[in-house]
Amino acid sequence: MKIGIISDTHTKVKMAKEALNLLTEDGAEFIIHAGDIVEIEVLDFLKNCGLRYIAVYGNNDAHLAHYHGKYNLVQEPHYFKLANCKFKLMHMPYYMAPDADIVVFGHTHIFESDFKNGTLFLNPGEVCARNKSISECAMLEVTDDTFEVTYYTKEKKDDTFKHQKFSYERIKS
């Protein structure tokens, strides 16, 4: 299963749409937003992209609480099952215990793909290109034997995304 992952879109609605378009065109079957959504338009893109999705509140998303029933918004940490894996989703990296197969987080604006003791820790970086001139997102492909992470980057001045791949052998319990 291919899972598109974005975070820290902040006020950059156009960049969020570009990242979502890239992930859906590359075969994403599910979308995760790891918080700091900020703009209601981003939630509309998620809801209308034709895929199932989940989004966690970030530290800049309190104003979105009154939309809680309209969108698939959750509080952190949020656990769920997908692709025969237990996920833990959060924005703030406060709950970093390896108590899930995959831990997805945001907030730092820094891409991270780290496999420790059977748990994949994944931060897709920042869509908004606030802390650097690069918009980032990730695709996680879960197979029976591996976690395949594709890290996408796009310079503000460029028209296309570049990518790097990381592969980890799954440890089954």
Side-chain angles (χ1 to χ4, degrees):
M1 176 175 215
K2 289 178 121 181
I3 303 160
I5 306 172
I6 62 174
S7 187
D8 296 284
T9 50
H10 289 271
T11 61
K12 304 300 183 182
V13 174
K14 182 180 177 209
M15 290 176 155
K17 187 165 179 52
E18 288 175 352
L20 284 170
N21 286 344
L22 167 76
L23 294 168
T24 55
E25 289 168 9
D26 202 27
E29 301 164 77
F30 190 90
I31 300 289
I32 296 173
H33 194 306
D36 275 359
I37 303 153
V38 179
E39 300 294 337
I40 193 73
E41 291 91 346
V42 175
L43 288 172
D44 287 334
F45 292 150
L46 287 167
K47 187 174 183 177
N48 297 319
C49 74
L51 301 174
R52 292 182 305 138
Y53 74 93
I54 193 166
V56 68
Y57 290 102
N59 57 301
N60 291 296
D61 293 332
H63 64 285
L64 298 175
H66 67 277
Y67 297 106
H68 191 81
K70 184 176 179 184
Y71 301 98
N72 193 16
L73 287 163
V74 297
Q75 294 180 348
E76 62 183 354
H78 181 76
Y79 294 86
F80 63 99
K81 295 282 272 179
L82 184 66
N84 295 317
C85 293
K86 182 180 180 183
F87 280 76
K88 179 167 55 175
L89 174 60
M90 69 190 106
H91 180 65
M92 304 292 283
Y94 293 155
Y95 312 99
M96 298 298 282
D99 57 350
D101 300 308
I102 301 162
V103 176
V104 177
F105 63 102
H107 186 67
T108 65
H109 293 238
I110 299 168
F111 172 76
E112 181 178 332
S113 179
D114 194 13
F115 191 70
K116 297 180 200 167
N117 299 320
T119 297
L120 175 63
F121 294 87
L122 184 56
N123 183 329
E126 61 176 7
V127 168
C128 69
R130 182 183 76 184
N131 292 350
K132 51 193 167 290
S133 64
I134 298 170
S135 182
E136 304 162 294
C137 60
M139 182 80 79
L140 169 61
E141 185 170 3
V142 177
T143 72
D144 288 339
D145 300 316
T146 61
F147 296 133
E148 305 283 338
V149 176
T150 304
Y151 169 52
Y152 297 98
T153 59
K154 180 178 168 248
E155 292 277 346
K156 284 183 180 179
K157 61 182 175 16
D158 291 344
D159 291 331
T160 58
F161 283 87
K162 297 176 180 151
H163 70 276
Q164 289 180 264
K165 292 190 180 264
F166 305 85
S167 184
Y168 308 98
E169 187 175 333
R170 287 182 67 178
I171 299 171
K172 297 184 183 159
S173 45

